[in-house]
Amino acid sequence: MASTSICIYGAGALGGAIAVKLASRLGDNATVSVVARGAHLEAIQKNGLSLHEADADKPINVRITATDDPTTLPPQDLIITGLKGHQLGPAAEGMATLLKGNTRVVMVLNGIPWWYFHRDTQSGHAELQFDELDPDGKLWRLIGPERVIGCVAMQGAEVVNPGEIRLSNKGRFVLGEPSGEMSTDLESIAGLFAEADLNVSTTPRIRDEIWNKLTGNAAFNPISALTRALMTDIMADPALFDMVGKIMNEVRAVGSALGAKFSITIEERLQQSRHIGPVRTSMLQDLLAGKALEIVPLVGMVVALGRTAKVPTPVSEVVLALVTQLDKENQRGG
C-alpha cells in the first residue's frame, strides 16, 4: 500500500494536535508534513512537535517535516487546514501549490465556512458566496469547493509554548461532504482519522454540525474576548449567562431558517457548557496573544445570514460592533 502524503496547513493548536496524532500513529502508511510559522515553526524544526493529551502521563513528541514555504513540499494526497477563517484567503496561493488532481482538503473551521452554500440543498441559496469569507473569491477559484470535506471539531487545544500543544479533553471530529454524499473519499479520510486515534464520525448533514457548534462559539467566543472571562466565569455571571442564551436563540433562529436541524435544546446546550471548565476560548487566546480575532465566521456571519434569511439578530449585532472595535484596538496595541 502506497504511503498517503498529508500536509497540515496551519499547525497551531488544533492543526498541530492532528499532525502529531497522524504522524505518531500512521507510521509508514503516511508521510506527514506541516506548514507553520514564527517561533512555533522554529521550535518544531529544532525539537519536534509535542502533544500533551488530556489525562496522559507524558507528551507525544514527533519529528516532522515543517516549513513556512509550501512550495518546498511535493503535491499532497490530503491537506488538512488548521487555519482560522480570516487566515485562509492569504494562504490560498500557497495551498494551491500542494494540490494534485484528486487532492481533498479537510477544512477544520469554526463558524460559517467559505464553501457553506456549495451544493447546499437545504437553504435555497446554493452556491451563494460571501466576499467577507472569501475576498475576491480566491479560495473558491484556487482551491475549489468541490475539493472540500467539512470538519467540525469539538476539541479544546492550546499552544502552551512554541512547539508544545495541550489538549483539554478527548474531543471528537465530524466529517462531511458539502453535497451530503457518503463518498469513498469521506470514508477513507475518516479511516485515517480513526487509525490515528482521533474520535471521528461522518455525517450526510455537515451543516447541522456547523450550526450546533456555532450556537456556542457565537456566544462564548466574543463575550470571553470582551470580558477576558474564562468559561466558568461566564456561566457563573447572571448577566453574561443571560446574554449567552439570547445569542444562542438568535443563532438557532438563523440556522433553522436556512434549513439546519439542531440536535439539542438551548437549555441542554447551556447545561453542557457548565461542564467545560475554566478554559479560555480560542478568541480569548488570540486576544491575549495579540493576534487578529476570528470575528466574521463566528459573529459576522450570524448577522449577515440573518439578513439573508430575514431573521433579526439584535444582540449579535451589538456584540459584533463591540468585538470588531476591540480587535482594531488590539491590533493597534491599544
Side-chain angles (χ1 to χ4, degrees):
M1 176 177 157
S3 176
T4 302
S5 56
I6 307 172
C7 177
I8 287 73
Y9 205 109
L14 194 53
I18 293 170
V20 172
K21 297 285 277 187
L22 290 169
S24 64
R25 293 281 185 157
L26 298 186
D28 294 337
N29 291 332
T31 304
V32 181
S33 58
V34 300
V35 174
R37 61 186 181 181
H40 190 54
L41 171 63
E42 291 174 16
I44 296 169
Q45 290 174 328
K46 183 178 179 182
N47 301 314
L49 186 55
S50 292
L51 176 66
H52 299 264
E53 295 188 274
D55 302 323
D57 293 331
K58 58 183 182 179
I60 306 167
N61 179 271
V62 296
R63 293 284 178 167
I64 197 167
T65 299
T67 181
D68 59 2
D69 181 3
T71 64
T72 63
L73 300 173
Q76 302 287 305
D77 297 315
L78 175 64
I79 298 171
I80 301 170
T81 66
L83 300 172
K84 292 186 167 69
H86 58 280
Q87 299 169 327
L88 281 172
E93 285 100 339
M95 215 179 301
T97 67
L98 299 176
L99 297 174
K100 298 192 285 191
N102 59 350
T103 303
R104 298 304 302 265
V105 183
V106 174
M107 290 270 171
V108 186
L109 287 172
N110 279 334
I112 303 298
W114 61 273
W115 52 263
Y116 182 89
F117 289 105
H118 176 59
R119 298 190 68 181
D120 174 32
T121 59
Q122 301 169 24
S123 68
H125 298 285
E127 309 311 319
L128 180 63
Q129 298 178 52
F130 281 85
D131 193 60
E132 52 262 65
L133 288 173
D134 183 15
D136 303 318
K138 192 182 288 188
L139 292 161
W140 202 279
R141 189 174 67 254
L142 295 179
I143 307 302
E146 69 282 352
R147 291 186 184 272
V148 169
I149 287 179
C151 178
V152 177
M154 275 64 71
Q155 174 67 76
E158 186 170 357
V159 177
V160 290
N161 290 299
E164 187 179 351
I165 295 160
R166 187 177 298 278
L167 302 182
S168 60
N169 61 339
K170 168 64 175 167
R172 64 186 181 91
F173 298 82
V174 185
L175 302 176
E177 294 270 12
S179 65
E181 295 171 274
M182 302 301 282
S183 67
T184 53
D185 281 352
L186 178 63
E187 294 305 327
S188 63
I189 292 167
L192 288 173
F193 273 52
E195 194 178 341
D197 192 35
L198 293 165
N199 182 15
V200 64
S201 61
T202 57
T203 178
R205 293 182 61 91
I206 190 63
R207 292 173 187 83
D208 292 354
E209 300 293 335
I210 288 170
W211 282 102
N212 273 297
K213 186 177 184 191
L214 184 57
T215 302
N217 282 157
F220 289 116
N221 273 273
I223 289 174
S224 71
L226 289 164
T227 62
R228 312 302 204 268
L230 302 178
M231 284 290 295
T232 43
D233 301 326
I234 294 171
M235 298 304 292
D237 185 296
L240 295 180
F241 183 83
D242 181 63
M243 185 178 289
V244 165
K246 288 175 178 175
I247 294 171
M248 285 185 171
N249 276 299
E250 290 182 358
V251 173
R252 182 163 296 226
V254 175
S256 296
L258 295 173
K261 304 246 184 291
F262 291 84
S263 56
I264 60 174
T265 66
I266 296 292
E267 291 71 25
E268 289 169 331
R269 184 58 192 269
L270 287 168
Q271 199 56 40
Q272 284 181 357
S273 301
R274 291 187 185 280
H275 302 294
I276 291 175
V279 302
R280 285 192 286 258
T281 69
S282 59
M283 192 177 285
L284 178 55
Q285 290 177 37
D286 285 345
L287 179 77
L288 296 174
K291 297 178 181 177
L293 305 184
E294 190 178 22
I295 296 171
V296 172
L298 298 185
V299 191
M301 290 310 297
V302 173
V303 174
L305 292 177
R307 291 176 184 144
T308 299
K310 298 183 171 50
V311 174
T313 56
V315 181
S316 297
E317 288 176 28
V318 172
V319 169
L320 174 61
L322 292 172
V323 80
T324 299
Q325 187 60 36
L326 173 68
D327 187 42
K328 288 178 183 174
E329 294 299 322
N330 195 47
Q331 291 305 294
R332 282 202 289 257

